[in-house]
Amino acid sequence: MLIRPATQQDAAAIWSILEPVIRAGETYALARDMSRQDALAYWMAPDRETFVAVENDRILGTYYLRANQQGGGGHVANCGYMTAGAAVGRGIGRLMGEDSLKRAKAQGFRAVQFNFVVSTNRRAIALWKSLGFAIVGQLPKAFHHPALGDVDALVMFKML
């Protein structure tokens, strides 16, 4: 598995990963009817580095790395991750998580914070805990899940 910086030529493959996750509306606080253009502009915005996980010339996952805040909070990174539906359960999320932690540390970040992990996203929570993240906050009923109604969102944090 190769993890490399994304290019504009990867946009179609990235969209094919983003679209079903956005449309499902179960794990990201993004509009379920978000356009391709808006989704790619968000995921590949100038304030972040975007990466893709590639196996046999096929993009199976993507993540971004950015500063969580500016100024006095600029030493804390933030990331977002998505895996292609057909590749879920193959450890790609773990590989991207490990890669992002190494890159964040190499770039001088001293911690990583996930601002809004939907509490029903048990796979993600288990993964982040296994990589050393702690739940440092709980936002009651902060996310409207399309099937479950209002559920909590978690803030997760790890020092590097």
Side-chain angles (χ1 to χ4, degrees):
M1 181 75 54
L2 168 71
I3 298 178
R4 63 165 173 77
T7 67
Q8 284 303 318
Q9 289 73 30
D10 299 324
I14 292 171
W15 173 241
S16 74
I17 294 169
L18 300 181
E19 184 180 24
V21 174
I22 291 170
R23 299 290 179 251
E26 296 176 347
T27 56
Y28 275 82
L30 299 171
R32 293 176 72 188
D33 63 352
M34 185 178 228
S35 71
R36 178 185 193 273
Q37 180 180 346
D38 288 348
L40 289 170
Y42 168 79
W43 201 258
M44 300 176 80
D47 71 338
R48 60 198 70 198
E49 291 181 86
T50 305
F51 299 89
V52 290
V54 183
E55 181 181 71
N56 299 324
D57 295 324
R58 191 165 160 231
I59 294 175
L60 299 178
T62 181
Y63 80 87
Y64 66 76
L65 170 65
R66 67 182 180 110
N68 193 47
Q69 301 292 329
Q70 297 180 15
H75 63 286
V76 178
N78 172 260
C79 303
Y81 311 80
M82 289 192 196
T83 301
V88 170
R90 293 190 41 210
I92 294 163
R94 175 173 296 282
L95 290 172
M96 292 191 298
E98 291 169 346
D99 187 75
S100 67
L101 294 175
K102 288 178 195 166
R103 288 181 194 268
K105 188 169 186 171
Q107 291 181 26
F109 288 107
R110 298 195 307 266
V112 177
Q113 179 175 320
F114 300 145
N115 301 318
F116 204 88
V117 181
V118 178
S119 63
T120 56
N121 192 353
R122 301 205 188 289
R123 286 180 79 109
I125 294 166
L127 172 59
W128 305 138
K129 283 183 174 181
S130 77
L131 291 177
F133 283 82
I135 296 170
V136 297
Q138 187 167 345
L139 309 170
K141 310 284 186 208
F143 182 78
H144 185 75
H145 190 285
L148 303 174
D150 294 341
V151 298
D152 296 350
L154 308 173
V155 179
M156 299 186 78
F157 191 84
K158 175 184 173 66
M159 294 297 300
L160 296 175

